[in-house]
Amino acid sequence: MAPLDAHLSPQLQQAVVTGLFVAIGWIVVAAQTRRRDAALRRARETDLQRALLAEIRAHVFALEQQTPTPEDGALLIARMATGDFVPTLPQHANDRIFGAVIADIHILPAPIIDPIVLYYRLLSIMGALATDLRRIARNDPPRAAQMMADYLSLMEETRDTGIQAIRVLTESLQGGAEAVNRMLDADEAAAAAQMAQRLPAELAQMRDRLAARDVSSRSSDRRDR
């Protein structure tokens, strides 16, 4: 007699065994589905990062070529203030890939989303500012000159933000989110160390200026009397 015959009929035993096999099958299929979905997500994540990296890197290179030196920038602003010169500003519409994948941006590692979104936000602001600048350049040269100064400053900020986006994307592709977090922690530590190194000299300069101002003020008071 089988061990379970005293408690379960053969038909019920067969049903239990069948149910166990079905349950195990569900578990195996669910595990395989999760692994497949995770693999597809990782592949999609990698594809998005590579595409965004290529787009950002190409435009940052262009920005580096287009950004004038401080001297050239000052000359450009001065010429615009006269009303006799309207620069040809490039159309910074280098966001096609970002626009195509914006709905899936949430699948990327959290540490790299902010630099990417910030870069494309600055790019959009640059485009809007360039449009306004071209519109008023002839009619309001002083305002156009001030807007050009803002535009050049924004160009530098966009370039620097793009470089940071390139760094985090490259680090993420090589080592994942943990590598990005380590890089960002190292950047923060380096910035804090640099600030601590500069702070004593800056405080000393501030004290010297305050002391000189105090001496000048006392001298002025004695002359008044």
Side-chain angles (χ1 to χ4, degrees), residues 132-179:
D132 290 342
L133 202 157
R134 284 189 293 267
R135 179 173 52 82
I136 71 166
R138 293 293 188 188
N139 300 325
D140 192 350
R143 184 183 174 199
Q146 180 57 53
M147 289 178 65
M148 175 55 72
D150 295 339
Y151 181 86
L152 294 178
S153 176
L154 185 60
M155 180 183 288
E156 293 182 3
E157 184 180 359
T158 304
R159 179 199 61 199
D160 294 342
T161 304
I163 290 173
Q164 180 66 4
I166 290 172
R167 292 182 66 221
V168 297
L169 280 166
T170 302
E171 198 69 25
S172 178
L173 285 169
Q174 293 176 350
E178 293 183 359

Side-chain angles (χ1 to χ4, degrees), residues 4 11 18 37 50 66 94 98 110 121 133 145 147 151 170:
L4 296 178
Q11 294 82 0
T18 302
D37 291 345
R50 291 188 185 281
Q66 296 164 3
N94 193 57
F98 180 73
R121 175 60 178 164
L133 202 157
M147 289 178 65
Y151 181 86
T170 302

Side-chain angles (χ1 to χ4, degrees), residues 2-224:
L4 296 178
D5 284 350
H7 306 284
L8 299 174
S9 66
Q11 294 82 0
L12 188 55
Q13 293 179 41
Q14 184 177 5
V16 170
V17 171
T18 302
L20 287 175
F21 275 110
V22 171
I24 293 172
W26 286 343
I27 294 173
V28 171
V29 170
Q32 291 175 341
T33 301
R34 285 194 297 270
R35 285 196 297 271
R36 183 196 63 197
D37 291 345
L40 291 174
R41 181 186 176 93
R42 286 194 298 270
R44 177 61 174 162
E45 179 183 309
T46 299
D47 291 342
L48 289 182
Q49 292 183 74
R50 291 188 185 281
L52 289 169
L53 177 59
E55 183 172 73
I56 295 173
R57 186 161 49 196
H59 189 252
V60 167
F61 177 78
L63 282 176
E64 289 177 336
Q65 303 301 311
Q66 296 164 3
T67 303
T69 64
E71 295 78 12
D72 291 341
L75 179 61
L76 177 60
I77 293 169
R79 291 183 63 189
M80 288 197 65
T82 66
D84 296 330
F85 175 70
V86 179
T88 301
L89 300 176
Q91 295 287 346
H92 295 286
N94 193 57
D95 59 354
R96 293 181 180 178
I97 292 177
F98 180 73
V101 305
I102 185 63
D104 295 329
I105 197 74
H106 64 280
I107 74 173
L108 298 179
I112 73 171
I113 293 178
D114 285 348
I116 293 172
V117 172
L118 178 58
Y119 165 75
Y120 283 103
R121 175 60 178 164
L122 292 174
L123 203 61
S124 175
I125 295 173
M126 278 187 67
L129 186 56
T131 299
D132 290 342
L133 202 157
R134 284 189 293 267
R135 179 173 52 82
I136 71 166
R138 293 293 188 188
N139 300 325
D140 192 350
R143 184 183 174 199
Q146 180 57 53
M147 289 178 65
M148 175 55 72
D150 295 339
Y151 181 86
L152 294 178
S153 176
L154 185 60
M155 180 183 288
E156 293 182 3
E157 184 180 359
T158 304
R159 179 199 61 199
D160 294 342
T161 304
I163 290 173
Q164 180 66 4
I166 290 172
R167 292 182 66 221
V168 297
L169 280 166
T170 302
E171 198 69 25
S172 178
L173 285 169
Q174 293 176 350
E178 293 183 359
V180 175
N181 284 324
R182 287 194 297 270
M183 184 192 74
L184 295 177
D185 289 343
D187 288 349
E188 185 176 348
Q194 188 176 12
M195 183 180 298
Q197 187 177 8
R198 291 200 315 261
L199 189 58
E202 292 176 353
L203 289 176
Q205 292 175 1
M206 186 181 298
R207 285 195 297 267
D208 291 342
R209 288 196 299 268
L210 290 174
R213 187 180 304 170
D214 186 51
V215 170
S216 176
S217 177
R218 288 199 300 269
S219 298
S220 177
D221 290 343
R222 284 196 297 269
R223 286 196 300 269
D224 291 342

